[in-house]
Amino acid sequence: MNPFFNPVCPIESLATETAFGVSVDVLRLDRLHPVVSGNKWFKLNYYLTEALTAQKIILTFGGAFSNHIVATANAASNAGIKSIGVIRGEEPSTPSPTLVQAKAFGMDLYYSSRSAYKTKQLPAEIGERYAPEDLYVIPEGGYGTPGMMGARDILLQNNTSGYTHILSAAGTGTTLAGLVAAASANQKVIGISVLKNNFSLQNEIDHLLPTDRKGQFTLLHDYHVGGYARRSAELFRFMNDFYAETGIPTDFVYTGKAFLAAFALLRKNYFGQGANVLLVHTGGLQGNRSLPKGTLIFGVE
Ligand SMILES: *Cc1c(COP(=O)(O)O)cnc(C)c1O
């Protein structure tokens, strides 16, 4: 378990039983922190441990609205580790609130042109200031075995053995891999891919899993709403209705799509009568900051 931060996230029940004959609970990783995305925090844990042991500076990558960047900035600062963020694109004249927050947590930001970013080429100033051996690089989104190991704790911190289905949004799939690793053989783990036609995700998740857990999950590729960070009026309507009914905020990049998918699946009787479904609210509402005011009936802190 996390040596730096060991929270237990609450599980809440939704009133779906009467409508669908399926019990649905939500594991609220979003309750960890108003700014830092819950699943990112879990994924970072083992990376932080390694960086701290090696006495290195953490360096990681992300976009201007990246949940991973703020989470790394905050987690590194809690652990007393210096952190550097390489941000995709030219420096904007007004930095995004996400970047302002990352900076406030003590992260040094460097901007990288989209082409340099793609090849993971580090900005020249970083090379001038730091020796490569002083840097501990965390891949974008925390993808990797330490990330998967951290994500296992998402399920292990509560008693979740009674759920028949566990559903989560999947970006890099690191979080899903952790859920699969922690789940038992009779539990079905379902990932809602938020990227369009990202079929290599299957292999990327398998790559992180121990042999006996490989392939023990289902990816659904029909709920990306047009692709990564794409949105629709239907998605916003769902997010607002879901908030009005449950008081649970979601984001349009990850959890909004995952929960929209979950309700579409409920209507199709995908889970079967009597199923006990756990929706993992992975946290992170940063993406909503990029939306025009008034799109959503709830705000982002
Ligand atoms: C980053 C993020 C994800 C995706 O997690 P992966 O481990 O990359 O699949 C899901 N939900 C939220 C809220 C996130 O911030």
Side-chain angles (χ1 to χ4, degrees):
M1 284 283 165
N2 195 325
F4 306 110
F5 186 75
N6 192 5
V8 174
C9 303
I11 293 182
E12 292 172 7
S13 294
L14 302 184
T16 54
E17 195 88 59
T18 37
F20 300 103
V22 172
S23 116
V24 180
D25 289 359
V26 180
L27 174 55
R28 301 276 315 261
L29 303 190
D30 62 312
R31 296 283 293 275
L32 278 189
H33 193 277
V35 174
V36 176
S37 176
N39 76 322
K40 299 295 184 289
W41 218 333
F42 280 96
K43 286 196 283 185
L44 284 166
N45 182 24
Y46 290 84
Y47 288 114
L48 291 172
T49 310
E50 285 183 11
L52 199 62
T53 308
Q55 300 259 307
K56 291 188 179 187
I57 297 163
I58 283 175
L59 181 144
T60 197
F61 304 87
F65 291 92
S66 164
N67 283 322
H68 170 68
I69 285 287
V70 203
T72 306
N74 182 259
S77 129
N78 287 348
I81 306 173
K82 185 177 165 52
S83 69
I84 298 172
V86 177
I87 310 302
R88 183 178 61 237
E90 305 303 331
E91 182 166 5
S93 47
T94 357
S96 69
T98 308
L99 296 182
V100 170
Q101 215 120 36
K103 233 182 169 152
F105 287 135
M107 181 177 260
D108 282 348
L109 303 179
Y110 293 85
Y111 294 85
S112 177
S113 72
R114 281 170 192 270
S115 54
Y117 187 89
K118 241 192 174 140
T119 59
K120 296 286 173 268
Q121 196 187 316
L122 294 184
E125 307 98 279
I126 295 181
E128 287 156 17
R129 264 173 231 176
Y130 303 97
E133 62 270 23
D134 292 338
L135 301 173
Y136 181 87
V137 176
I138 301 178
E140 191 168 18
Y143 178 84
T145 299
M148 178 278 288
M149 285 166 56
R152 280 189 315 197
D153 293 339
I154 292 171
L155 276 196
L156 301 180
Q157 58 158 345
N158 277 292
N159 180 3
T160 52
S161 59
Y163 293 102
T164 55
H165 298 77
I166 296 153
L167 182 146
S168 168
T172 66
T174 314
T175 302
L176 202 80
L179 298 176
V180 176
S184 56
N186 58 3
Q187 293 180 305
K188 296 198 161 57
V189 181
I190 302 155
I192 306 301
S193 176
V194 300
L195 281 82
K196 188 177 178 174
N197 297 342
N198 185 24
F199 302 117
S200 60
L201 185 58
Q202 180 83 27
N203 280 334
E204 283 147 17
I205 295 173
D206 270 342
H207 181 72
L208 299 178
L209 287 172
T211 315
D212 64 328
R213 299 302 296 149
K214 284 190 202 298
Q216 302 300 302
F217 59 95
T218 304
L219 289 179
L220 299 180
H221 291 281
D222 296 330
Y223 299 98
H224 52 70
V225 192
Y228 184 74
R230 297 295 176 88
R231 67 294 299 270
S232 71
E234 187 203 0
L235 176 63
F236 292 143
R237 204 176 315 120
F238 169 79
M239 290 166 64
N240 282 330
D241 288 351
F242 186 74
Y243 180 77
E245 273 163 36
T246 65
I248 301 176
T250 52
D251 77 289
F252 79 96
V253 183
Y254 296 106
T255 51
K257 288 178 184 178
F259 291 8
L260 177 64
F263 276 79
L265 295 171
L266 275 171
R267 280 193 295 275
K268 290 206 294 196
N269 199 20
Y270 175 93
F271 304 106
Q273 288 286 313
N276 244 327
V277 180
L278 181 66
L279 305 182
V280 179
H281 190 313
T282 36
L285 303 174
Q286 291 300 318
N288 289 351
R289 290 183 185 278
S290 67
L291 297 173
K293 271 206 166 52
T295 309
L296 298 171
I297 59 172
F298 53 91
V300 189
E301 281 177 68

